[in-house]
Amino acid sequence: MNVFNSLTRRNGELAPLSDNTVRMYTCGPTVYNFAHIGNFRAYTFEDILRRVIQFNGFKVKQVMNLTDVDDKTIRGANAAGVALTDYTKTYKDAFFADLKALNIQPAEVYPAATDHIPEMIALVEKLVEKGVAYKAPDGSVYFSVRKFPGYGKLAHIDFDHQQTGARCAADEYDKENVGDFALWKAWEESDGPVGWDSPWGRGRPGWHIECSAMSMKYLGETFDLHTGGIDNLFPHHENEIAQAEAATGKEFVRTWMHCAHLRVNGEKMSKSAGNFFTLRDLLAKGWTGREIRYVLVNAHYRQGLNFAFSALEDARKSLERIDRCVDALAEKAAGAAPAAEAPAFAAKALEDFTAAVNDDLNTPKAFAALFELVRESNSALASLQPGQAAAVLEVFRRMDSVLGVVFFGKAAKAEVPAEIQALLDERAAARAAKNWAESDRLRDAIAAAGWVVKDSKQGQSVSKK
Ligand code: AMP
Ligand code: ZN
């Protein structure tokens, strides 16, 4: 499996350091608001990544942090007049519901920053002991970027043109303003009740130290893979490297991967620009999580993706095409065991699919292989034996273990309660007899029980309202 490593700026083999498990850290949400679909572009990219790793037979240990203390969460909680933990809980809960709605596999660990303050203080103490961090007159502790020779290696910063000695307390800044960054921020009036005692007085951790401390706690001092959106690369990830490597003297992370932004009219989708849709906005407009996931994972993760409603419409049509094919295959297979060998066209499609995902997660090519399978299946359908149809379905399943869009939501079908199934059977009989009034009456009865019937050429399907 080959991926593009932002550190070396080259494609390289991704293989775990130990026990067949890829240890992976992904920068998670700042829980001060609902995540927007730009954020979910990053989380779906990471989901595809972990699924491709598993597709290749490795295990994954993924850690995703929840930033529940920073400038934005504190501002939000204090403005709302509620405790920080109460304020962030709403958005943590919403985030997990959204992940589910997008069929994103859960990470193994979701550490919250506020549960790891002692680990962060210990790391800052270590950096102070080593002489790479110092307490400034304002009571905050800063990392001295000049003391870490490797500073700039991820973002490829030309240091000769940088001014030195400046200090930056904000969590985010640009390459033109490189300066010493805050590891620990002294308490200020605007922090209100938020703060922890430390060897440097009351205060709170900087955003960057949070990820270094929690990643090393759960994944070790050197681990395989670290990911995020491209905006995380500098300064956040650069600072994470500096903090971790200055403290341990060891390589922090072997492979770094970053996804390009989701844009709107050519501009990065972001809260501050106000050009965003939350997942909830789109669900309320009648789009499904499955359709939104399809749009997000369809583009190559390193290519910019412009959000447009026409892409959702295309996704809806493409998914209907996939559904028709898969339903027809299922009908043909009629519960038969898969044949030992899949038809040649299916084996070829799987081979192309595998090559695509192992070539730096080339999802556009992977989808092309999936649609090749749809096309070939449709034309071969009449001549397929049930066992062969079942074998083709297995290939769809294998592809979908990575894409997560083909069978997404279909499980509900298998869980249709007996009484609903009885109504469905009655309705199928009514329709066969062209008794449309009875068919409509049964549809209403099914709806009253909380289920929605959809009719297609392959017959009726049902899903929960
Ligand atoms: P934040 O909550 O702002 O810390 O962002 C959470 C994650 O979403 C990070 O990995 C960001 O890099 C990523 N992100 C934010 N905006 C976008 C966007 N428009 N497109 C893709 N990823 C984004
Ligand atoms: Zn982070």
Side-chain angles (χ1 to χ4, degrees), residues 43 160 431 433 449:
Y43 306 131
D160 292 342
R431 292 176 72 77

Side-chain angles (χ1 to χ4, degrees), residues 33-38 264 269-278 281:
N33 209 326
F34 298 110
H36 59 69
I37 56 163
V264 183
M269 181 178 284
S270 69
K271 295 263 164 58
S272 53
N275 60 351
F276 65 92
F277 292 102
T278 63
D281 291 336

